[in-house]
Amino acid sequence: KTEPPKKPPLQIRGGRVHNLKDLDLTIAHNTMTVVTGVSGSGKSSLAFDIIFAEGQRRFMESMSAYARQFVEQLPRAEVEELTGIAPSVAIEQRVTSGTQKSTVATITEVAQYLRLLYARIGIPYSPVSGQPLVSQTENALFRHLRRILKEKPSQKPMLCSPLVRGRKGHHQPLADWAREQGYSLLRIDGEIVKIKDFTRLNRYSEHDIDLVIDSISEKTPTADLRKLLKTALALGKGSAFLLSRKGSTPIWLSTTRTDPSTGQAYPQLEPKHFSWNSPRGWCTSCRGYGQLFQWMSEQQENDFDLFETVEEGDICPECLGERLNPISRAVKLPLKKGAPISLPQLLKQTPGQLLETLSKLSGDARTQSVIEELRPEIETRMRFMNHVGLGYLSLDRATATLSGGEAQRIRLAAQLGTNLSGVLYVLDEPSIGLHARDNERLIDSLIQLRDRGNTLIV
């Protein structure tokens, strides 16, 4: 059996950055190298200004011009020659990462797996009555539709089918199909558009597209109304909605997600419904911040009274700091023992508590297959947090409240969950702020990262 060729080492010749004067250095790959020295000796200049900067810059040069425009371009390091560099990742002691909405869950990327878990196996409850949503026959839905039309006889709402949700593309083929089927109107990102005037959408932006089936009223013949509803539900895969006028809130009709006490239906849930960074999921009052700020009142004139009654940065009175809208907060995971749990409740838990809750999830074979698919990604990150002394942090803890050492180790937990190899990691004093008993655990984790085929410079 032939051994694979050994990876050429990282070689630096003539490094001249800040206090470094014509530095020559060779570092073997797939090792953990510690750079040490007194303050001002050039440790950070070597690790970050030469090795990380050149590793990232050269990797980005292999990307397209379109991709490069979204990433900060680092300047070329002042060095005579540098060979054997690998794509690099810096894990620094920055307290903040991302936006003001960033939490322990988002930085470790656990949030994205939990969003997927709730979208795929979560049980939706009515935010009004608190009862689980139920399936409804088409006949029952038709009777409910007739009642809605009788309550507002003067209106002629449009019956619409949701076709596209949060999907990028210009969507010209969809408009062509609708035109060929004899339809005349589409609702694109909330705006009614005549199909004859349709122009290609921005292909790099996400779009919502609904098909306007027809305008209906109490006077619409029963046979015609049944046919229109059947068509709308078929095209919307079990969902349709009524729209009275521009800007009005849709009245949903669904065969699978209906409040048994009120008859109100709710839309199909997607992972973005559980993200406080998306308009689909965030609380409309605080926009996912969990707090109210005065600048919000300038853009939400209808809710100005709400902002006048609270102080700057008080907890949002609508979501009580849970960041999500009522529909998203009402979706829960079933447990073998105890009450079902919502995503905000789950995020209040620590890593150890989260792992214990995941072990108690109940459901059928399909539910268990989803859990088994997502659980390893979550467990890897949560166990690492416990391993390096961060088991006391709740997942909804804002990153702005973390120390530099805490933030760095949380980002390290995210990297351990990626299973990447061939990467050059540059870490800035990762043991800072750790109790002595946790140092060995941290070193074990770094060795684990190295043994996957990565190079570490500490």
Side-chain angles (χ1 to χ4, degrees):
K1 185 177 178 181
T2 305
E3 290 291 327
K6 206 167 186 180
K7 193 173 184 180
L10 167 61
Q11 292 188 315
I12 300 171
R13 297 288 178 266
R16 296 184 294 273
V17 175
H18 301 141
N19 289 342
L20 299 179
K21 309 297 182 185
D22 293 315
L23 175 73
D24 295 341
L25 185 66
T26 299
I27 297 177
H29 281 293
N30 300 341
T31 61
M32 181 165 68
T33 301
V34 178
V35 181
T36 185
V38 298
S39 178
S41 60
K43 302 185 298 295
S44 295
S45 298
L46 168 64
F48 292 99
D49 298 332
I50 293 181
I51 296 175
F52 165 67
E54 279 299 290
Q56 187 179 76
R57 187 184 66 80
R58 295 186 186 188
F59 176 69
M60 289 309 302
E61 281 184 347
S62 68
M63 300 290 103
S64 67
Y66 172 76
R68 290 201 300 270
Q69 70 178 318
F70 299 106
V71 180
E72 178 186 1
Q73 298 299 297
L74 296 175
R76 186 183 297 271
E78 192 175 345
V79 60
E80 288 181 7
E81 183 181 15
L82 194 152
T83 59
I85 193 75
S88 60
V89 173
I91 304 179
E92 303 173 84
Q93 292 181 37
R94 290 179 290 114
V95 174
T96 58
S97 177
T99 68
Q100 284 181 291
K101 297 180 181 179
S102 294
T103 65
V104 170
T106 57
I107 289 188
T108 58
E109 300 175 359
V110 165
Q112 71 185 48
Y113 294 107
L114 293 179
R115 289 198 293 265
L116 189 57
L117 191 65
Y118 273 83
R120 291 176 67 177
I121 67 172
I123 298 176
Y125 288 73
S126 167
V128 178
S129 68
Q131 298 183 48
L133 303 186
V134 298
S135 299
Q136 191 165 242
T137 66
E138 198 170 298
N139 283 334
L141 203 58
F142 176 76
R143 292 192 295 270
H144 180 58
L145 175 59
R146 293 299 296 265
R147 285 196 298 271
I148 293 174
L149 295 175
K150 284 182 179 180
E151 290 172 0
K152 300 178 180 179
S154 61
Q155 296 184 3
K156 290 191 66 176
M158 293 180 290
L159 180 63
C160 307
S161 294
L163 300 183
V164 169
R165 282 294 176 270
R167 203 162 68 218
K168 295 180 180 180
H170 54 69
H171 298 294
Q172 183 68 54
L174 181 60
D176 294 340
W177 169 85
R179 185 185 299 109
E180 291 169 1
Q181 297 299 313
Y183 296 105
S184 59
L185 297 175
L186 289 173
R187 182 173 179 255
I188 302 173
D189 299 330
E191 296 291 331
I192 301 296
V193 176
K194 293 181 180 178
I195 295 179
K196 66 178 183 179
D197 299 330
F198 178 89
T199 56
R200 290 186 171 213
L201 307 178
N202 183 345
R203 63 181 297 187
Y204 300 114
S205 297
E206 294 181 347
H207 301 286
D208 291 346
I209 302 179
D210 309 305
L211 178 64
V212 178
I213 304 298
D214 205 347
S215 292
I216 57 177
S217 71
E218 183 189 15
K219 297 180 180 179
T220 302
T222 298
D224 293 345
L225 191 60
R226 279 188 180 277
K227 184 177 179 181
L228 290 171
L229 177 61
K230 188 177 186 67
T231 300
L233 291 173
L235 293 175
K237 297 181 179 178
S239 293
F241 64 88
L242 295 175
L243 194 68
S244 298
R245 62 185 184 281
K246 180 181 177 181
S248 64
T249 302
I251 299 175
W252 283 91
L253 305 165
S254 174
T255 56
T256 57
R257 296 170 297 278
T258 303
D259 185 335
S261 62
T262 66
Q264 184 177 355
Y266 296 90
Q268 175 69 47
L269 293 171
E270 304 167 4
K272 286 186 179 178
H273 283 101
F274 301 96
S275 170
W276 49 82
N277 289 312
S278 169
R280 298 180 196 280
W282 70 34
C283 166
T284 55
S285 293
C286 67
R287 302 184 191 181
Y289 287 92
Q291 303 176 45
L292 296 184
F293 300 97
Q294 201 60 39
W295 59 263
M296 295 177 181
S297 64
E298 299 171 6
Q299 301 171 16
Q300 299 187 51
E301 296 179 2
N302 294 338
D303 294 329
F304 189 76
D305 291 343
L306 180 66
F307 294 91
E308 282 195 328
T309 60
V310 298
E311 297 178 8
E312 180 80 3
D314 275 10
I315 298 296
C316 174
E318 296 294 326
C319 68
L320 301 180
E322 293 187 340
R323 301 172 181 255
L324 298 176
N325 61 45
I327 295 176
S328 303
R329 299 199 306 269
V331 180
K332 301 179 181 180
L333 294 178
L335 301 179
K336 295 173 183 175
K337 290 184 179 180
I341 189 168
S342 68
L343 180 56
Q345 291 172 328
L346 196 65
L347 292 175
K348 285 182 171 64
Q349 298 184 343
T350 61
Q353 292 169 338
L354 173 65
L355 292 177
E356 185 178 353
T357 299
L358 292 181
S359 68
K360 296 178 181 177
L361 293 180
S362 66
D364 55 20
R366 173 189 165 276
T367 298
Q368 291 302 321
S369 68
V370 172
I371 295 171
E372 293 307 314
E373 180 184 349
L374 298 176
R375 181 183 287 155
E377 301 290 349
I378 299 171
E379 286 183 343
T380 299
R381 293 160 171 82
M382 295 297 93
R383 283 179 176 156
F384 174 81
M385 286 186 62
N386 278 331
H387 205 57
V388 294
L390 296 178
Y392 59 88
L393 292 176
S394 64
L395 294 170
D396 62 356
R397 173 85 172 263
T399 57
T401 66
L402 300 174
S403 69
E406 287 173 333
Q408 185 187 32
R409 291 194 292 280
I410 288 172
R411 283 190 286 273
L412 190 55
Q415 291 299 322
L416 279 169
T418 60
N419 287 319
L420 288 175
S421 62
V423 177
L424 194 161
Y425 288 101
V426 182
L427 297 98
D428 183 16
E429 299 182 13
S431 62
I432 193 166
L434 269 186
H435 190 281
R437 67 172 177 267
D438 294 320
N439 275 336
E440 287 298 324
R441 292 179 175 181
L442 173 66
I443 292 171
D444 287 344
S445 299
L446 296 180
I447 291 173
Q448 178 185 345
L449 202 58
R450 179 202 66 187
D451 291 345
R452 291 180 184 173
N454 299 300
T455 303
L456 276 70
I457 296 177
V458 182

